[in-house]
Amino acid sequence: MKPTSFLAALALLVPVSAQTAKPFEYWPGAQYDSSIPTPKQVLGYEFGDRITWSANLVRYFETLAAAAPARMKVWEFAKSWEGRRLVYAAIGSEANIARLPEIQGAMKKLADPRKTSAAEAKRLIESMPTIVWLAYGVHGNEISSPDAAMVTAYHLLAARNDSMVASILANTVVILVPTQNPDGRDRFIHSYEMSEGLEPDSNPIAAEHTEDWPGGRTNHYFFDMNRDWLAFTQPEIKGQMRILLEWLPQVFVDLHEMGTDNTYYFTPEADPFNPHLTREQRTSLTWFGKNNAKYFDKFGFSYFTREVYDAFYPGYGASWPAYFGSLAVTYENGSTRGLIVKKSDESVIEYRTTVRRHFTTSLATCETAAMHRQELLDNFWKYHVTAVDEGSKEAIREYILPRRGNVSNVDRLAQLLSEQGVEVSRAKTAFGGYPAGSYVIPLAQPAKRLIRTFLDPVVSMDDKFVKAEEERRKHRRGSEIYDVTAWSVPLQFNVECIANGSPSQGSFELVTAEDWPKGSVTGSGSVAFLVPWGTNAAGRFLTAALRAGLRVYSSDKAFTLEGGRRFPAGSLILKAADNPADLGAKVAELAKSSGAEAVGSDTSWVDDGPNFGSRYVTWIRKIHIAMAWDRPTSAGSAGATRFVLERQFGYPVTVIRTQQLATADLTEFQVIILPDTGGGGYASILGANGARRLKDWVEQGGTLIGIGGGALQFMADPKNSLLSIHQENAVPAAPAAAPGGEKPAGGGTGTPAPDSARVPGKLLTKEEDLAKAIQPDGELPGSAHGILARVKVDQDLWLTVGVPETVNALVMGRSIFTPLKMDKGFNAASFAGPDQVLASGYIWDEYRKQLAFKPFAVVEKDGRGNLIGFTEDVNYRAYLDGLNLLFLNAVFRGPGH
């Protein structure tokens, strides 16, 4: 090929946007220092001409830092599940970068008025820069912000004779996290590049704009990491939390994307606001919104504010930092999901335009922070002063976490708080009726508002918003609640959390994030080792013991060993005669790694309850678990279920493409899990043959577990002959009685002829008649907005051993099911009555009343196997630790029953 022909062919590979004659300007008129490398020099393309892989983001940031080491530093802060690096960068003036440790120390001083005087705070406020944190790409398929991070870093380092940049560098330290989700981002780019053709395709239904399951939004375990800032289960978010507490920024911005037809959203947020946010945090948002608007008006970008994106749920990236005093805000950008896309109004948007919009708000935010440097630092200081003051005067002076019940979850909650900078003390001895080892969290500390937000049983929305929401529901308008309305961590963990009006008296020690109770072994165990059931640590011991090849039994009933030690139902029994000679050493190792208690016994005699050879003592075999993977499952439900089993309890899961369940040989598996669905149903994938094969497999001894309404709709369908329950429609409103005992005004006036399209006539005499007449027939209940509901547990079943009498489940969506008839099986756990069912959150009366007494967990025998159904997702976001034992019982005890 001739050189000219080769160059012509090469040009075809370059996106159309990159072939324009005039270079695209991200900041019109800017002049740049040629010593600072461009992406063209490092990666081979200009900003926004390609979607940058996560490794290339890291490569470019490290190249910039090497080119300007006095003004930029880069550090690694975590690795993703798939081993990709997560880095962050600090950019500032040479003077500020040289004193980064001093600046970090100053922020910690401003964050604790108990240790810092007002005079010292005033000096720091006058002399220190403010810290701006820009976090990009938490959702992997929201693609423009990580490329905007590159533009922002380049502009701050390379822009010459720019007074705006000079002010930013002098008055702020800018922290950039170029991507928070490298696994999801690269999954999206792989999907996109597989679908590319001769040139970028603007048609929104082109394959390059549409992703196959599970899409790139989530991380490796399919977590929406913008909801993980409550339990911190994922390394990408947990790592960022750790470095945030090292820096304590005054401004935190999370940059996102939304649907293609949208414009751009920035602060102020929509209602409702979390009541634990301060007035200054809310009013200061307007500074940033107005400055963003100034540049959007200048460049001709459309935007909106105060709609859709609220500040109520504390588990967002743009929420959690607010509870240590930051301004935490969200920016949302209309996405191209590729390099170019045509909107429904037929306008065409290029990827680099969306990159430019995020770059513009990034730069404008830094400018706003620079202009308001002293006010931001002063507000940050006052936030903590008032937090300590409120905590010392309000009705709740401390929270107590008694160390009893599922002590694993008590320890985990205390540890979770400690990791977030909360001061937690542990009792050395018993006090006030609470056992030694219980935890006390005083409110007179800088983290007071985070403590209240996480531990209060109810965080209420303001009455004005609730009234407006009820009006919207009444008139069938869309809800403006964006996420769940309940998240109380003690309720989710199912542990006691007691509000105390005065500081406790006793002997306490401050605990650290690494200082937690370990497992223990007592006794020689010449006959057996026993592990009391009822803690998550015991669950971890069980899974580790099975993987280690130990032979484990379990008692379905409580028993008292000779000597008086009482063991609850579900307790594990590892007999010395059935296990290797080094059983004691293995048990000690497993107790240490799991945190469980193991008790050695030199006798098998029990004073009451079943003996070790009783029919109530069953073998827990090492099982193989299969789970439906791919459509129609909800990626979040599938990922969380796998995560709970694999990462929280250390047991492997074989994930199988859903359609293969209809044809594959399933005899190797003892348990199959159907996660909740995210669109469509299992019937569309499995068909009648798949349902029949699953039924045959259950009859031969398999345990089929359905999670959430989507799975149970399939299992409860009479055509599939699986679970003998039914999904309910909404309860229709009762017709109003007419005065004087007459027939209701809506009564019919005649009977239509057979096969007629006509219906009986009705008289509507008042507006209430019209309201009833327009209600649809046979619809599902209105959707629940993430409430925590009380569940009553039947504790006499193998499915519920070790589970407390009452637990809390998160209820989402519209799935309510009928109870299981007594001749078919058991309702192992059912929602509480109408006056007790709502534990936390917002719900309307009709839903609350219909949910009451309906099943949460059912078990039905079929042949030699079991069908188990959870009407709500028992593993939702992997933060319902209080339901873990119920789920483990289903998985590991089902095959033995």
Side-chain angles (χ1 to χ4, degrees):
M1 182 183 289
K2 295 181 180 179
T4 53
S5 299
F6 173 77
L7 293 174
L10 184 63
L12 292 175
L13 300 177
V14 180
V16 173
S17 58
Q19 299 179 43
T20 53
K22 184 180 178 181
F24 184 82
E25 290 188 297
Y26 281 86
W27 198 259
Q31 300 295 316
Y32 293 112
D33 183 347
S34 61
S35 69
I36 303 300
T38 67
K40 179 77 170 178
Q41 294 168 317
V42 179
L43 306 177
Y45 54 86
E46 301 292 356
F47 291 120
D49 283 349
R50 297 296 299 170
I51 308 166
T52 304
W53 290 82
S54 64
N56 283 338
L57 291 169
V58 174
R59 178 183 169 196
Y60 186 65
F61 265 66
E62 292 183 334
T63 302
L64 288 178
R71 289 179 291 145
M72 180 176 180
K73 301 293 182 185
V74 174
W75 301 269
E76 181 178 310
F77 69 88
K79 277 191 168 67
S80 72
W81 287 116
E82 295 175 14
R84 293 180 175 88
R85 299 173 62 206
L86 288 100
V87 303
Y88 73 105
I91 297 177
S93 66
E94 291 189 11
N96 283 337
I97 294 299
R99 60 172 182 158
L100 287 181
E102 179 189 354
I103 293 169
Q104 286 181 303
M107 299 310 148
K108 291 176 181 176
K109 290 179 180 179
L110 290 176
D112 195 346
R114 300 168 303 174
K115 302 176 182 177
T116 306
S117 68
E120 173 70 356
K122 184 175 184 294
R123 183 188 69 80
L124 294 173
I125 290 167
E126 291 173 348
S127 62
M128 288 293 142
T130 193
I131 298 176
V132 181
W133 196 283
L134 301 176
Y136 301 91
V138 72
H139 294 141
N141 61 359
E142 297 179 2
I143 50 179
S144 59
S145 70
D147 280 289
M150 295 200 304
V151 186
T152 304
Y154 173 77
H155 186 86
L156 291 174
L157 292 175
R160 297 186 304 180
N161 303 318
D162 189 312
S163 58
M164 176 186 181
V165 169
S167 175
I168 291 171
L169 298 181
N171 291 287
T172 76
V173 171
V174 180
I175 307 289
L176 303 99
V177 181
T179 179
Q180 303 170 77
N181 184 2
D183 292 352
R185 181 173 181 82
D186 286 0
R187 191 186 311 131
F188 172 85
I189 296 175
H190 176 65
S191 172
Y192 171 78
E193 292 191 349
M194 283 199 309
S195 304
E196 279 188 294
L198 178 64
E199 62 183 13
D201 195 327
S202 65
N203 193 316
I205 67 170
E208 63 193 61
H209 297 290
T210 58
E211 306 163 76
D212 201 1
W213 188 95
R217 178 181 178 86
T218 55
N219 74 340
H220 174 77
Y221 275 101
F222 305 163
F223 274 67
D224 181 337
M225 292 192 296
N226 196 39
R227 272 75 177 168
D228 192 48
W229 296 77
L230 189 74
F232 294 99
T233 62
Q234 303 305 296
E236 301 93 333
I237 299 303
K238 193 169 185 175
Q240 189 172 183
M241 177 263 285
R242 188 186 68 252
I243 57 172
L244 276 164
L245 292 175
E246 293 175 2
W247 288 92
L248 296 172
Q250 286 67 60
V251 180
F252 179 100
V253 182
D254 209 6
L255 294 97
H256 291 259
E257 286 188 342
M258 51 187 165
T260 295
D261 278 336
N262 292 289
T263 57
Y264 197 100
Y265 161 84
F266 47 72
T267 193
E269 275 70 30
D271 286 333
F273 277 75
N274 190 296
H276 294 293
L277 298 173
T278 67
R279 180 178 59 83
E280 290 79 12
Q281 286 176 306
R282 294 188 61 174
T283 57
S284 300
L285 297 174
T286 306
W287 302 341
F288 293 86
K290 285 186 173 181
N291 203 41
N292 289 342
K294 177 183 73 176
Y295 289 108
F296 271 48
D297 289 344
K298 178 179 179 180
F299 298 143
F301 301 153
S302 297
Y303 64 91
F304 66 95
T305 64
R306 301 183 182 88
E307 297 176 26
V308 184
Y309 304 102
D310 64 44
F312 185 61
Y313 174 62
Y316 305 128
S319 293
W320 182 82
Y323 301 100
F324 63 67
S326 177
L327 287 182
V329 297
T330 298
Y331 295 161
E332 295 272 355
N333 195 358
S335 180
T336 58
R337 292 294 196 271
L339 291 180
I340 190 170
V341 72
K342 182 168 63 176
K343 299 171 64 173
S344 61
D345 64 5
E346 298 192 351
S347 61
V348 175
I349 303 296
E350 292 181 321
Y351 178 59
R352 59 188 186 178
T353 299
T354 63
V355 172
R356 185 186 177 200
R357 290 191 298 225
H358 265 327
F359 160 65
T360 299
T361 53
S362 297
L363 204 60
T365 296
C366 295
E367 182 186 43
T368 306
M371 292 189 297
H372 294 276
R373 179 197 65 80
Q374 190 160 335
E375 294 156 287
L376 288 167
L377 289 169
D378 188 54
N379 286 345
F380 183 75
W381 159 254
K382 289 177 179 176
Y383 176 94
H384 296 95
V385 170
T386 57
V388 174
D389 184 59
E390 290 171 5
S392 64
K393 296 177 180 177
E394 290 180 347
I396 300 176
R397 300 289 296 278
E398 68 181 16
Y399 272 114
I400 301 171
L401 304 178
R403 195 170 188 272
R404 57 195 177 202
N406 190 338
V407 294
S408 305
N409 285 0
V410 180
D411 294 339
R412 171 159 151 67
L413 176 53
Q415 184 178 25
L416 179 64
L417 292 170
S418 180
E419 287 175 342
Q420 295 176 68
V422 175
E423 293 174 4
V424 179
S425 294
R426 181 169 52 215
K428 296 181 180 178
T429 58
F431 70 101
Y434 302 109
S438 296
Y439 301 97
V440 174
I441 302 108
L443 272 296
Q445 61 171 296
K448 176 259 178 182
R449 296 184 180 102
L450 185 145
I451 297 167
R452 290 292 304 270
T453 301
F454 276 44
L455 300 189
D456 281 7
V458 177
V459 177
S460 299
M461 296 179 285
D462 66 84
D463 292 341
K464 182 180 178 182
F465 176 84
V466 171
K467 184 177 180 180
E469 185 70 13
E470 288 286 356
E471 280 296 308
R472 285 187 287 270
R473 188 177 65 85
K474 177 180 176 182
H475 296 289
R476 300 263 171 168
R477 301 188 184 109
S479 172
E480 293 187 6
I481 297 174
Y482 193 69
D483 204 85
V484 298
T485 60
W487 56 79
S488 173
V489 184
L491 291 179
Q492 292 180 165
F493 283 20
N494 213 60
V495 300
E496 293 178 87
C497 183
I498 298 170
N500 197 16
S502 58
S504 294
Q505 303 300 310
S507 178
F508 302 97
E509 58 183 353
L510 196 66
V511 296
T512 67
E514 294 78 30
D515 179 23
W516 301 102
K518 306 297 190 293
S520 64
V521 180
T522 56
S524 67
S526 61
V527 172
F529 285 94
L530 310 175
V531 178
W533 193 246
T535 67
N536 284 24
R540 291 190 291 270
F541 184 99
L542 169 63
T543 57
L546 294 176
R547 294 193 71 193
L550 300 182
R551 193 168 181 87
V552 182
Y553 290 82
S554 176
S555 176
D556 288 346
K557 295 183 179 293
F559 61 90
T560 302
L561 198 65
E562 184 180 39
R565 174 67 189 262
R566 184 76 172 169
F567 288 85
S571 292
L572 308 178
I573 303 169
L574 292 87
K575 304 174 189 178
D578 294 338
N579 280 291
D582 62 347
L583 177 63
K586 289 184 180 295
V587 167
E589 180 184 342
L590 296 179
K592 180 180 179 181
S593 63
S594 67
E597 177 193 12
V599 179
S601 177
D602 297 328
T603 179
S604 64
W605 182 260
V606 298
D607 291 334
D608 67 54
N611 296 99
F612 294 175
S614 167
R615 62 190 175 93
Y616 293 111
V617 173
T618 58
W619 172 43
I620 301 182
R621 64 183 298 177
K622 182 179 181 180
I623 59 172
H624 293 89
I625 305 168
M627 185 172 69
W629 197 249
D630 212 329
R631 287 191 170 93
T633 69
S634 157
S637 179
T641 298
R642 188 183 191 185
F643 175 82
V644 166
L645 286 169
E646 291 194 343
R647 298 297 177 173
Q648 292 187 337
F649 290 95
Y651 205 86
V653 178
T654 299
V655 293
I656 300 176
R657 302 293 178 190
T658 307
Q659 64 269 24
Q660 289 184 275
L661 293 175
T663 57
D665 180 2
L666 303 175
T667 55
E668 178 182 346
F669 302 101
Q670 292 76 46
V671 174
I672 296 176
I673 300 172
L674 301 181
D676 207 348
T677 55
Y682 281 105
S684 64
I685 303 295
L686 295 175
N689 182 62
R692 180 186 56 78
R693 293 190 79 252
L694 286 175
K695 182 174 176 58
D696 291 344
W697 174 84
V698 171
E699 290 174 348
Q700 294 301 312
T703 295
L704 180 64
I705 302 173
I707 297 176
L712 264 62
Q713 287 165 25
F714 169 74
M715 294 173 68
D717 188 331
K719 295 193 298 290
N720 298 327
S721 300
L722 293 169
L723 270 180
S724 302
I725 60 175
H726 305 280
Q727 187 175 12
E728 293 187 351
N729 283 325
V731 175
E742 299 173 12
K743 291 183 179 180
T749 59
T751 303
D755 302 322
S756 171
R758 290 175 289 148
V759 299
K762 293 183 179 181
L763 298 178
L764 305 179
T765 62
K766 52 186 182 296
E767 287 191 11
E768 288 83 353
D769 296 335
L770 173 61
K772 292 184 177 69
I774 62 177
Q775 296 301 313
D777 297 321
E779 68 170 346
L780 293 171
S783 185
H785 293 291
I787 65 165
L788 285 168
R790 291 188 182 90
V791 174
K792 299 294 185 180
V793 176
D794 181 348
Q795 295 180 298
D796 290 331
L797 303 172
W798 60 262
L799 182 59
T800 59
V801 291
V803 180
E805 183 180 354
T806 302
V807 294
N808 302 293
L810 196 130
V811 176
M812 291 279 287
R814 313 174 72 179
S815 296
I816 298 177
F817 289 84
T818 61
L820 195 61
K821 299 288 187 181
M822 292 180 66
D823 61 335
K824 298 295 184 182
F826 300 97
N827 299 290
S830 301
F831 291 104
D835 296 331
Q836 296 84 36
V837 67
L838 182 63
S840 184
Y842 163 76
I843 196 66
W844 45 93
D845 282 347
E846 304 96 295
Y847 196 102
R848 174 180 58 83
K849 292 174 181 176
Q850 187 173 351
L851 183 65
F853 302 119
K854 300 299 166 53
F856 171 67
V858 296
V859 57
E860 180 173 351
K861 196 76 177 173
D862 191 358
R864 294 191 289 112
N866 289 301
L867 296 152
I868 300 172
F870 295 103
T871 61
E872 297 290 338
D873 192 340
V874 72
N875 300 311
Y876 187 76
R877 293 180 181 169
Y879 60 28
L880 298 174
D881 290 38
L883 297 177
N884 286 164
L885 287 179
L886 186 59
F887 178 59
L888 290 182
N889 285 342
V891 173
F892 291 98
R893 297 180 190 276
H897 288 82

